[in-house]
């Protein structure tokens, strides 16, 4: 039985022991696991829609195999009614890498495989799921 058959929804990813990517808030944050409570440091980064979709797609599809530039342009730009361009892909990836570096991820976390595509350069990326039946129910009054 697959995870899809059990009514689970992807919530995000854990990257290493300290970095959590929350898809629904569009936020990547680092909670250091070491140190003392007096030296507690919290860092958080937000993504725009295109960057969020690109990072999510890479974490889902490029952890074990490369994804091509054409695949990214189709899945992230064309399928979202955006105009695809190699320049725009490069720009979003460059800005994404800068943000990832701010949280302490290596410069080559998203590995550019010259001329053939991109891969996530880490084996310590784990998807996080939640069971739909355990999700909180939001009523109209809770949204205020």
């Amino acid at each position: 039985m697959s995870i899809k058959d059990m009514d689970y929804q992807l919530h995000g990813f854990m990257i290493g022991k300290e970095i959590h990517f929350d898809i629904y808030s569009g936020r990547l944050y680092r909670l250091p696991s070491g140190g003392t409570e007096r030296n507690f440091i919290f860092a958080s980064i937000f993504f725009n829609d295109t960057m969020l979709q690109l990072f999510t797609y890479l974490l889902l599809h490029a952890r074990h195999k490369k994804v091509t530039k054409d695949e990214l342009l189709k899945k992230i730009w064309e399928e979202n009614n955006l105009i695809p361009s190699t320049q725009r892909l490069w720009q979003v990836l460059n800005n994404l890498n800068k943000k990832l570096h701010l949280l302490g991820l290596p410069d080559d976390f998203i590995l550019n495989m010259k001329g053939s595509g991109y891969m996530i350069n880490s084996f310590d990326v784990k998807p996080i799921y939640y069971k739909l039946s355990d999700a909180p129910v939001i009523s109209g009054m809770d949204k205020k």
Side-chain angles (χ1 to χ4, degrees):
M1 181 182 302
S2 76
I3 199 129
K4 291 178 184 176
D5 297 331
M6 296 190 298
D7 291 326
Y8 282 86
Q9 180 71 37
L10 182 66
H11 171 74
F13 292 87
M14 281 300 299
I15 302 169
K17 294 178 178 157
E18 298 182 346
I19 298 176
H20 178 251
F21 175 48
D22 182 342
I23 293 170
Y24 296 100
S25 69
R27 182 174 54 175
L28 184 72
Y29 57 89
R30 181 179 198 123
L31 287 169
S33 58
T36 65
E37 289 183 32
R38 293 191 305 176
N39 295 333
F40 183 77
I41 299 171
F42 175 79
S44 178
I45 293 175
F46 291 92
F47 297 118
N48 66 33
D49 288 340
T50 304
M51 193 178 291
L52 174 67
Q53 290 178 32
L54 178 61
F55 192 50
T56 302
Y57 192 86
L58 288 169
L59 290 174
L60 281 169
H61 301 283
R63 287 181 293 139
H64 306 294
K65 67 178 183 77
K66 71 181 174 194
V67 295
T68 66
K69 174 180 69 171
D70 291 337
E71 179 180 348
L72 293 174
L73 291 172
K74 180 180 181 198
K75 295 292 185 180
I76 307 305
W77 275 266
E78 288 178 21
E79 290 184 8
N80 291 292
N81 297 317
L82 300 171
I83 299 170
S85 82
T86 301
Q87 176 63 26
R88 183 70 180 128
L89 173 61
W90 178 87
Q91 184 180 38
V92 174
L93 277 169
N94 189 43
N95 290 335
L96 175 58
N97 278 321
K98 287 177 183 177
K99 288 185 176 213
L100 297 177
H101 186 70
L102 286 173
L103 283 185
L105 288 171
D107 290 335
D108 65 346
F109 181 76
I110 299 173
L111 188 60
N112 181 353
M113 303 176 74
K114 300 287 185 205
S116 63
Y118 300 91
M119 280 188 77
I120 296 297
N121 189 23
S122 174
F123 292 102
D124 199 9
V125 177
K126 299 174 193 81
I128 300 170
Y129 294 89
Y130 67 89
K131 192 171 182 179
L132 290 175
S133 62
D134 292 340
V137 177
I138 300 174
S139 70
M141 294 187 71
D142 292 336
K143 293 180 183 178
K144 291 183 181 179

